[in-house]
Amino acid sequence: MKKKKWPETWQEINPGCMVFEPASARGYHTGSWKAQRPVWDDSKCIKCGVCYIFCPEGCISQDDEGFFRADLDYCKGCGICAHECWPGAIKMVEEG
Amino acid sequence: MAKQVGMEVGIAAAEAVGLCNIDMAAVYPITPQSHIAEHLSDIVADGRIDAEFVTVESEHTSISCVSGASATGARVYTATSSQGLMYMHEILPIVSAMRLPVVMGNANRAISGPINIWNDHSDIMPQRDAGWIVFFAESGQEVVDMTIQSFKIAEDNDVMLPVCLNMDGFQLTHTVELIEFPDQKEVDKFLPVRKPFATLHPDHPISMGTLGMPEIYAESRKSQDEALINSKKTIFKVWDEWEEMFGRRYKPVETYLAEDAEILLLTMGSMGETAEIAIDELRKKGMRVGLVKLRLWRPFPFEELKAVVKKAKLLIVTDRAVSFGGSGGPVFIEIKSALYHEKERPLVYNSIIGLGGRDVPVRDFVKLIEEAAKSGEKGIIKDYEYYGVRG
């Protein structure tokens, strides 16, 4: 059965809109908002981690080889990583 | 055993909080609430109760601080006045939306400007739509009783809403009255330890104060409105329990000689006691006048008020705040719209009175009622007037 994203009726709202399931925000994929996605050119990447530090979503992580990638389920496409990447290894590419 | 003591009402409010087994308080002192803040901090500092008293740097912080503590399951208290309440305004609707049972005393004082530290209701009226339960106390005894009742009402898991208890600044807070205090055992029996619906605790992570998307915002507002309306049941239940234990009856709408009255005067707060004397004087002159005193402002007691006023010919509503450019004072606006669909209803006249600490003695109530009665007979009722304003 497909889980409901939000309560159907006002009677189903928890008092104070309390959320009893920890980390349930994970189920909300903010990545659907983006118009652009970050694409890394690993040949320019020096693995400094500036993109990882500046990402306001915390959706950038390091892979096994030490390069960085965004989790596109949560990346909103804000472009801060590309703006901060001083070696110029990240380009924002139009979605779709 | 309960004991009777002569005590300043502000001090008595703090003493009442001291009986309520609170876990913490955060209060920023402001005139005329200061004696509550000072005396409550004394009670904590002297070790009379086991509670934290957090000295904050502003009212915005005091209300935020007690809300955070309340979310962990603590029993909390704060108090303020006037500009302090205005500074809390941003947080007030968040406390009710998060369903946190904060109890707050408000020593009513006019808001600036011009700067004025004296009594009227212009501080609480702009907070009308914050979603709190709002009471008005008339006497020192009511301040003590209703402070204790407020915790029980707020913390009931059928309610879970903050309560603001209004007490007129100076006129009430700085008056020495004979007050009967229940003893600690009685209060403990009436008000057991809080059993919170949910708490913030690292072992059982939950989220409070979350984002509400357009898909659920309207539903969340509706559920909060229903919770506030529904709180009336618990308020009445707690008042019944109070009467059973302590013998003093509380009603959302109090009346004085109102049953056969053709003309009714309506007051909120401490003015009620003075108005009773005016009613007595006019009754001696043969006028069929009576008094209606509104104790519960939110949720508004519609049925109870309608039942009391429907037989009268004229209802004089006093307001101690101005709604600039509106159709009258806030209490008048509420009551007039409440009566719109009623077949049986009185003419409603609005007098804005007692602003910024201007005294309203008995003779003013007498004059107000007599003048309103005269224009009522002629059928000329202006929307609202400032009583006794010069010019």
Side-chain angles (χ1 to χ4, degrees):
Chain A
M1 202 174 83
K2 202 181 164 222
K3 211 179 151 196
K4 276 194 287 189
K5 268 189 179 168
W6 48 72
E8 289 290 332
T9 64
W10 67 263
Q11 289 91 341
E12 291 169 52
I13 299 269
N14 284 335
C17 295
M18 289 175 204
V19 178
F20 296 105
E21 185 192 340
S24 62
R26 259 186 216 156
Y28 191 75
H29 290 174
T30 49
S32 64
W33 301 4
K34 67 178 166 294
Q36 294 183 321
R37 66 169 72 199
V39 175
W40 274 259
D41 180 349
D42 292 346
S43 68
K44 289 182 185 167
C45 177
I46 60 165
K47 301 178 181 175
C48 67
V50 159
C51 55
Y52 159 81
I53 291 164
F54 276 88
C55 174
E57 286 302 304
C59 74
I60 296 175
S61 56
Q62 225 168 352
D63 66 16
D64 293 342
E65 292 173 45
F67 292 112
F68 290 88
R69 295 289 180 264
D71 184 335
L72 296 177
D73 279 349
Y74 303 103
C75 170
K76 290 172 180 167
C78 69
I80 289 174
C81 54
H83 181 81
E84 296 296 334
C85 179
W86 55 275
I90 307 173
K91 289 267 175 307
M92 296 305 290
V93 177
E94 294 291 325
E95 281 279 85
Chain B
M1 270 293 288
K3 60 172 180 180
Q4 285 203 325
V5 281
M7 194 181 280
E8 191 198 289
V9 173
I11 303 290
E15 283 291 333
V17 175
L19 285 169
C20 291
N21 188 25
I22 59 161
D23 297 297
M24 74 84 76
V27 190
Y28 189 81
I30 179 171
T31 300
Q33 159 264 40
S34 322
H35 291 184
I36 303 176
E38 287 166 11
H39 194 68
L40 187 57
S41 83
D42 274 353
I43 290 173
V44 175
D46 292 346
R48 288 174 54 199
I49 60 170
D50 180 19
E52 287 287 328
F53 187 94
V54 184
T55 49
V56 283
E57 92 300 347
S58 76
E59 289 85 356
H60 193 279
T61 305
S62 69
I63 188 68
S64 303
C65 198
V66 293
S67 299
S70 183
T72 70
R75 177 170 291 162
V76 300
Y77 181 79
T78 189
T80 191
S81 283
S82 182
Q83 302 306 121
L85 187 63
M86 303 298 277
Y87 194 23
M88 286 182 179
H89 180 79
E90 187 197 359
I91 308 300
L92 297 178
I94 302 174
V95 186
S96 57
M98 287 176 68
R99 308 289 297 276
L100 299 172
V102 169
V103 174
M104 172 165 73
N106 183 40
N108 297 101
R109 163 185 151 184
I111 54 171
S112 306
I115 298 167
N116 179 296
I117 61 165
W118 295 276
N119 172 222
D120 70 25
H121 296 162
S122 59
D123 54 1
I124 187 63
M125 287 304 158
Q127 326 305 331
R128 185 191 61 185
D129 299 338
W132 286 49
I133 294 170
V134 183
F135 293 127
F136 278 82
E138 187 184 342
S139 65
Q141 187 66 59
E142 290 192 4
V143 167
V144 168
D145 292 356
M146 293 174 86
T147 297
I148 302 166
Q149 295 160 8
S150 292
F151 286 102
K152 184 152 179 158
I153 293 163
E155 292 172 5
D156 191 298
N157 283 343
D158 284 338
V159 177
M160 297 196 285
L161 284 167
V163 175
C164 177
L165 174 58
N166 290 278
M167 54 195 97
D168 285 324
F170 294 115
Q171 260 88 341
L172 197 52
T173 57
H174 287 54
T175 304
V176 175
E177 290 191 12
L178 189 64
I179 298 169
E180 187 175 304
F181 275 89
D183 72 19
Q184 189 64 62
K185 267 190 191 159
E186 289 173 322
V187 177
D188 289 346
K189 196 178 159 203
F190 175 78
L191 180 67
V193 174
R194 181 181 166 199
K195 291 196 184 91
F197 171 77
T199 61
L200 293 180
H201 193 284
D203 293 347
H204 313 282
I206 65 166
S207 299
M208 293 188 190
T210 53
L211 178 78
M213 307 290 278
E215 290 85 354
I216 66 139
Y217 187 82
E219 282 71 22
S220 77
R221 297 314 254 180
K222 168 76 176 165
S223 82
Q224 194 188 332
D225 192 18
E226 289 290 331
L228 186 60
I229 294 164
N230 191 49
S231 71
K232 251 173 79 176
K233 285 182 212 151
T234 304
I235 294 168
F236 295 170
K237 192 183 80 189
V238 168
W239 280 343
D240 285 343
E241 284 173 42
W242 183 268
E243 187 186 14
E244 205 169 292
M245 270 191 83
F246 302 104
R248 287 183 291 277
R249 174 108 193 105
Y250 282 81
K251 290 191 288 187
V253 181
E254 296 284 345
T255 55
Y256 181 70
L257 304 180
E259 222 156 76
D260 65 335
E262 288 178 346
I263 299 168
L264 288 171
L265 177 72
L266 185 139
T267 61
M268 281 203 313
S270 65
M271 284 202 321
E273 295 200 332
T274 317
E276 281 184 12
I277 303 168
I279 298 294
D280 286 341
E281 281 194 13
L282 288 166
R283 282 264 170 183
K284 274 183 210 154
K285 288 186 190 174
M287 266 179 104
R288 278 168 64 185
V289 291
L291 180 63
V292 180
K293 299 183 280 191
L294 202 55
R295 168 171 290 136
L296 180 62
W297 171 238
R298 280 294 182 275
F300 194 87
F302 291 106
E303 297 99 70
E304 291 80 2
L305 183 89
K306 284 174 189 173
V308 163
V309 304
K310 68 177 183 185
K311 291 270 192 298
K313 287 182 182 158
L314 177 66
L315 173 64
I316 306 162
V317 177
T318 60
D319 257 291
R320 307 196 62 195
V322 181
S323 175
F324 298 108
S327 63
V331 184
F332 170 72
I333 294 171
E334 189 78 38
I335 290 172
K336 203 174 158 191
S337 72
L339 296 174
Y340 185 79
H341 290 296
E342 298 302 305
K343 282 196 184 93
E344 264 188 310
R345 62 181 188 195
L347 277 174
V348 192
Y349 172 80
N350 188 207
S351 180
I352 293 177
I353 197 163
L355 293 185
R358 188 166 303 179
D359 268 339
V360 187
V362 173
R363 64 173 181 276
D364 281 340
F365 281 119
V366 170
K367 200 175 158 202
L368 165 65
I369 295 167
E370 285 180 335
E371 283 178 2
K374 263 183 217 158
S375 54
E377 276 167 21
K378 290 178 199 153
I380 313 159
I381 290 287
K382 285 185 189 169
D383 265 353
Y384 70 98
E385 280 180 308
Y386 288 76
Y387 178 84
V389 77
R390 295 185 299 275

